[in-house]
Amino acid sequence: MSESYDAIVLGAGAAGMMCAATAGQLGRRVLLVDHADEPGRKILISGGGRCNFTNLGAAPDRYLSANPHFAKSALGRYRPQDFIDLVERHGIAWHEKTLGQLFCDGPARQIVTMMAQECARGGVTLLLGHPASAIAHGDGLFRVTIAGRDHTAPALVLATGGPSIPKLGATGFAYDVARRFGLSIVQPRPALVPLTLGPEEALFRELSGVSADVAVKSGKTAFREAALFTHRGLSGPAMLQISSYWQHRTPIAVDFLPDQRADWLVAEKRAHPRATPGAVLARHLPARLAAALADRLALSGDMANAPDKMLRAAEARLRAWPFTPSGTEGFAKAEVTAGGIATSELSSRTLEARRMPGLYAIGEAVDVTGWLGGYNFQWAWASGRAAGQALAEEAV
Ligand SMILES: Cc1cc2nc3c(=O)[nH]c(=O)nc-3n(C[C@H](O)[C@H](O)[C@H](O)COP(=O)(O)OP(=O)(O)OC[C@H]3O[C@@H](n4cnc5c(N)ncnc54)[C@H](O)[C@@H]3O)c2cc1C
């Protein structure tokens, strides 16, 4: 005997809970499954424990995807304000930190509790602590075996995320199931991830712990945020952001003087001829970083001794300091996975697979990856909502 539902949602993370709650509240009988013992583990540790649950600027151009238009439909129908309304209905206090990033005032667990309550309101059956050991399809029904029992439904939603941070239970399971049903996958890669530097950049690795406000560029993409030097390379919001766009073996350019006007070093020479270049840089940059940069630029003696031409060349270097990362810290440290189930396989309105009716994919499992700062949760909520509504529209 198998237990039958209208839909089975695999993965009780942000996207899966939103999808299950939506479909359940619209009258569908939904089974929500996770191999972890509790739902929403990534939500719990997100945003430094305060969950950066959305971003006021969540527009489609802040997402990476092989099809930059794909996310428009879902994001347009479930906006940051919709999630804020939900958070406020649950009495959760929040604040804007910076750059449109909204965080809970209290612990991130409030968001998990809220989503669990929304699932309960929709009568969702939650099955935790067991992986799906087999998935089959026949006679218009998906059959999922969990802990030795079969569960069937005409709709199956893949909401198991991507493989970033495996120690939290993250897997490439969604890709395996999608491939089995003939869907193609855009090569998954770590994103929002620290970059590593090779031995030739040892000087900078010695700056471990130093951070500075920089502008960083890779190709045509640039971010203005804090960068952090680590014992392995480069981290901090600016570097995590650029990592999603970085291509292996290409340089990134760091502007250490984003606030200084052109010819700043020459003006400093006129104003402070007896200062050392290191001391001039240290007025705007952390002392250890200023010293390392002055050393690399071979600027010694007083400012007065440096010809204007040399100072202009040094300034040009400081405005586009090239680093060629040796790699990234990989999926173990990546906040998200870029790539995933190809958007060309899915309807942007319903997130249903075109060539496998009844199969849906949402959240991070799909080839849609947001910037740092609440954008990834907004995609998880919006895609979960879109699929949940579609499940309720389907005649089952
Ligand atoms: C440290 C960290 C901090 C982050 N902070 C933020 C933030 O503040 N703001 C933001 O927008 N984004 C943040 N992110 C990214 C965000 O967490 C993800 O983009 C988001 O959780 C994706 O939601 P999802 O539901 O698609 O996948 P997930 O939240 O990863 O959920 C997938 C679920 O599927 C389950 N699962 C996996 N494999 C299986 C399987 N084989 N069988 C059954 N269940 C399975 C997992 O246990 C998990 O519960 C952060 C990520 C990390 C790692």
Side-chain angles (χ1 to χ4, degrees), residues 11 13-15 34-35 45-47 52 160 171 173 335 363-364 374 376-377:
D34 205 294
H35 64 175
I45 56 143
S46 67
N52 176 192
T160 52
T171 66
F173 181 77
E335 219 163 270
E364 198 177 316
N376 285 296
F377 279 137

Side-chain angles (χ1 to χ4, degrees), residues 10-17 33-36 38-43 45-48 50-54 103 130-132 159-162 164-165 168-174 192 333-337 362-366 371-380 383:
L10 296 179
M17 285 197 281
V33 181
D34 205 294
H35 64 175
E38 60 178 341
R41 288 184 71 192
K42 277 195 184 164
I43 300 175
I45 56 143
S46 67
R50 295 263 183 258
C51 186
N52 176 192
F53 54 79
T54 191
F103 286 76
H130 301 285
T160 52
S164 48
I165 321 262
L168 285 175
T171 66
F173 181 77
L192 299 181
K333 291 286 165 62
E335 219 163 270
V336 288
T337 303
I362 56 176
E364 198 177 316
V366 178
W371 285 4
L372 184 78
Y375 296 97
N376 285 296
F377 279 137
Q378 188 57 34
W379 167 246
S383 59

Side-chain angles (χ1 to χ4, degrees), residues 104 128 197 228 327 387:
C104 297
L128 296 173
L197 292 176
L228 172 71

Side-chain angles (χ1 to χ4, degrees), residues 15 47 55 57 81 99 138 171 194 207 228 266 303 305 359 366 372 388:
N55 192 298
Q81 189 57 50
L99 303 170
T171 66
L207 295 175
L228 172 71
V266 172
M303 289 293 282
N305 296 338
L359 182 67
V366 178
L372 184 78

Side-chain angles (χ1 to χ4, degrees), residues 204-240:
F204 288 100
R205 283 193 280 135
E206 281 165 19
L207 295 175
S208 180
V210 171
S211 81
D213 191 20
V214 303
V216 58
K217 209 168 170 195
S218 172
K220 289 190 177 136
T221 310
F223 291 97
R224 170 75 200 274
E225 284 191 63
L228 172 71
F229 291 90
T230 71
H231 66 288
R232 297 192 64 188
L234 298 163
S235 187
M239 296 303 163
L240 298 181

Side-chain angles (χ1 to χ4, degrees), residues 280-321:
V280 166
L281 290 178
R283 268 193 228 125
H284 300 277
L285 293 167
R288 281 167 65 203
L289 175 60
L293 292 171
D295 185 64
R296 278 287 173 110
L297 290 166
L299 290 173
S300 56
D302 292 348
M303 289 293 282
N305 296 338
D308 288 2
K309 198 174 160 199
M310 189 177 177
L311 290 177
R312 289 200 175 98
E315 184 172 318
R317 186 109 189 271
L318 288 165
R319 289 192 185 282
W321 196 282

